[in-house]
Amino acid sequence: MTKFNKTLLAAAVALASAQATAAGFQLNSQSAAGIGRAMAGDAIIADNASVLARNPAAMALFDQKALSLGVSYADVNVEVTDAQMDFMGRTFELGHIDNAAEAKVIPNAYFINPVNDTFAYGFAAFSNYGTGTDLTPLANNHGSLGPNTIPAPADLLGNTEVTTVNLNASASYRINESLSLGLGLDVIQASGTLTRNSNILGSLVDVEADGWALGGIVGLAYEINPNNRFGLSYRFSPEMNATGDVRYLAENFDEINIPIADIAQFAGFHQLTEKFAVHYTAQWTQWSSFDQISLNEGDKGTASHSLKEYHWKDSWFLSLGATYDINNNWTVRTGIASDDGVVGEVSSLSIPDSDRMWYSAGFTYNLSPKSSLDFGITKVVGEKVHVIEQSGLGSTVNAFTESGATYYSAQYNYKF
């Protein structure tokens, strides 16, 4: 199996997802300006080259080459409290974890080249998915009977680390003064680590992996006039079906099938006065396609094991923002967003997922007519949720989980 598919196994099968920044294990951190306005209008504002991550058609709005280089620091916090395990009619305290996630650094880079008034192309590197938690301390707490007499729910608890990078090449074509179309190819690289160890049964899962996959994006930009415009895009994500070796419950599997969510978004931008503008985004993610993970044996060519079913639901991310130009040097922005959780009827302790609110602010400082610096900060606040889940090792686990994050992001922009 390629390391990429094992990475998705880490994100999907193990599901110790600490990604508190968006639903499931999705990221919304592709630019500092976007962080400063809760990603509101990011598929059409086109104030820097990072719009390429959201809508390739928006490249038609550029009349000169543009470069953007940025980095985001995600200070993620996941708390697990009042964790208990019911086993053979008795209840055992598993304790709590104050912070089950580590902070992450997420870089990005974009370049747009308008060849003429009709055609433009661009390249980008950014991330759409990522996660990382360590719930091992809960698995190591076995109650008063001791560590070798009852099976800890290690299939639900453990260490997971996943990172992904999108390498994108896109082109846009202006049909007329109002309508432009865009098309892009995503080459996705990912890496990850997954461990699940039982105090009695030993190693349940042991994965360290990386690899590649292909996806794509299509988009359009519609300009009513220079002050009012709309953007629409749809990102196709790959469904992985790869061969290799995976160690799960003392068996080796050669092939894994993992569905990944598509992303659609609509954005609007309205310059209401010379200095003040409003913008918004409605983003839909097809998490309902993430229904189950199956393992196959290569010599049989058929699914031999359904690893786990999830029955996630589609999610909406709705944001509203505003931008104000103070003078020629300073621009300030703010935004607020509502982000739906993805967990439906089947909940999971290893996914601290819930509905979230975003509170964002940021600014731009123009170093010169050609260069600028963007800064953004976002506070993501998740709801506290009660989770009950059945372990495959014969126990039931229930706990309260609460997740959130603070994003700090900076970006340098240059126009050639």
Side-chain angles (χ1 to χ4, degrees):
M1 168 179 291
T2 68
K3 207 171 175 185
F4 176 51
N5 293 279
K6 296 179 184 178
T7 294
L8 296 178
L9 177 65
V13 176
L15 283 180
S17 173
Q19 188 48 55
T21 54
F25 46 94
Q26 184 179 358
L27 290 170
N28 274 324
S29 59
Q30 289 79 21
S31 76
I35 290 293
R37 57 186 172 230
M39 313 308 291
D42 264 36
I44 196 59
I45 292 182
D47 49 357
N48 59 65
S50 66
V51 71
L52 189 52
R54 298 279 175 158
N55 184 5
M59 291 191 295
L61 301 175
F62 289 75
D63 56 9
Q64 54 186 316
K65 296 178 183 177
L67 173 71
S68 292
L69 303 173
V71 63
S72 295
Y73 178 81
D75 184 9
V76 182
N77 182 58
V78 176
E79 295 183 3
V80 182
T81 57
D82 299 324
Q84 297 179 333
M85 179 180 70
D86 295 328
F87 181 72
M88 297 185 67
R90 299 185 62 182
T91 299
F92 303 94
E93 299 293 333
L94 296 180
H96 68 277
I97 302 178
D98 292 331
N99 192 359
E102 296 182 355
K104 301 297 177 185
V105 176
I106 310 168
N108 55 71
Y110 309 92
F111 174 74
I112 292 175
N113 182 24
V115 177
N116 50 45
D117 293 339
T118 302
F119 177 74
Y121 66 86
F123 302 99
F126 55 95
S127 180
N128 276 328
Y129 297 101
T131 183
T133 57
D134 188 1
L135 302 183
T136 305
L138 295 181
N140 291 336
N141 190 348
H142 315 300
S144 59
L145 292 182
N148 298 315
T149 56
I150 62 173
D155 56 331
L156 308 181
L157 309 170
N159 181 53
T160 302
E161 182 73 24
V162 178
T163 59
T164 68
V165 176
N166 262 45
L167 302 176
N168 172 272
S170 293
S172 68
Y173 183 81
R174 178 175 288 278
I175 295 178
N176 52 45
E177 292 184 356
S178 298
L179 181 63
S180 301
L181 302 179
L183 177 67
L185 174 69
D186 291 327
V187 179
I188 306 167
Q189 191 278 336
S191 60
T193 300
L194 166 65
T195 57
R196 293 291 183 272
N197 296 305
S198 169
N199 58 310
I200 293 178
L201 301 177
S203 177
L204 301 178
V205 181
D206 190 2
V207 172
E208 185 174 352
D210 64 28
W212 302 85
L214 293 177
I217 184 172
V218 295
L220 67 83
Y222 186 79
E223 303 166 70
I224 299 176
N225 53 49
N227 293 324
N228 298 276
R229 52 187 181 268
F230 302 99
L232 180 67
S233 68
Y234 193 96
R235 172 161 263 119
F236 301 90
S237 298
E239 180 172 319
M240 306 306 303
N241 188 12
T243 59
D245 298 320
V246 174
R247 186 76 174 171
Y248 178 72
L249 295 179
E251 293 186 51
N252 292 317
F253 293 88
D254 299 317
E255 190 173 86
I256 186 171
N257 180 270
I258 305 171
I260 303 299
D262 290 355
I263 304 170
Q265 58 188 298
F266 171 79
F269 173 82
H270 307 283
Q271 190 74 43
L272 301 182
T273 71
E274 184 179 351
K275 293 180 174 293
F276 181 72
V278 297
H279 29 86
Y280 44 86
T281 286
Q283 176 181 279
W284 171 83
T285 305
Q286 193 185 16
W287 281 118
S288 59
S289 64
F290 187 70
D291 53 355
Q292 71 170 354
I293 305 299
S294 59
L295 298 178
N296 304 335
E297 293 187 26
D299 57 343
K300 297 179 180 179
T302 59
S304 58
H305 184 77
S306 178
L307 200 55
K308 189 170 181 176
E309 295 186 358
Y310 299 105
H311 302 291
W312 281 6
K313 60 183 181 180
D314 296 341
S315 66
W316 282 95
F317 178 90
L318 305 174
S319 62
L320 175 66
T323 298
Y324 183 77
D325 295 322
I326 297 176
N327 52 42
N328 290 334
N329 291 328
W330 293 93
T331 297
V332 294
R333 56 183 60 91
T334 188
I336 187 171
S338 171
D339 189 16
D340 291 342
V342 300
V343 176
E345 296 179 359
V346 180
S347 61
S348 175
L349 175 66
S350 56
I351 309 176
D353 192 63
S354 67
D355 293 344
R356 304 171 176 89
M357 290 298 298
W358 283 46
Y359 306 96
S360 305
F363 65 87
T364 295
Y365 178 72
N366 293 315
L367 300 171
S368 71
K370 289 184 173 294
S371 61
S372 64
L373 291 175
D374 294 330
F375 295 91
I377 182 172
T378 285
K379 181 70 175 178
V380 182
V381 181
E383 297 178 354
K384 188 174 185 178
V385 295
H386 185 208
V387 178
I388 301 175
E389 187 175 13
Q390 181 69 41
S391 169
L393 302 180
S395 59
T396 300
V397 178
N398 71 87
F400 290 89
T401 64
E402 188 172 4
S403 58
T406 303
Y407 270 122
Y408 307 91
S409 188
Q411 184 172 294
Y412 174 75
N413 309 298
Y414 188 81
K415 297 179 180 178
F416 297 87

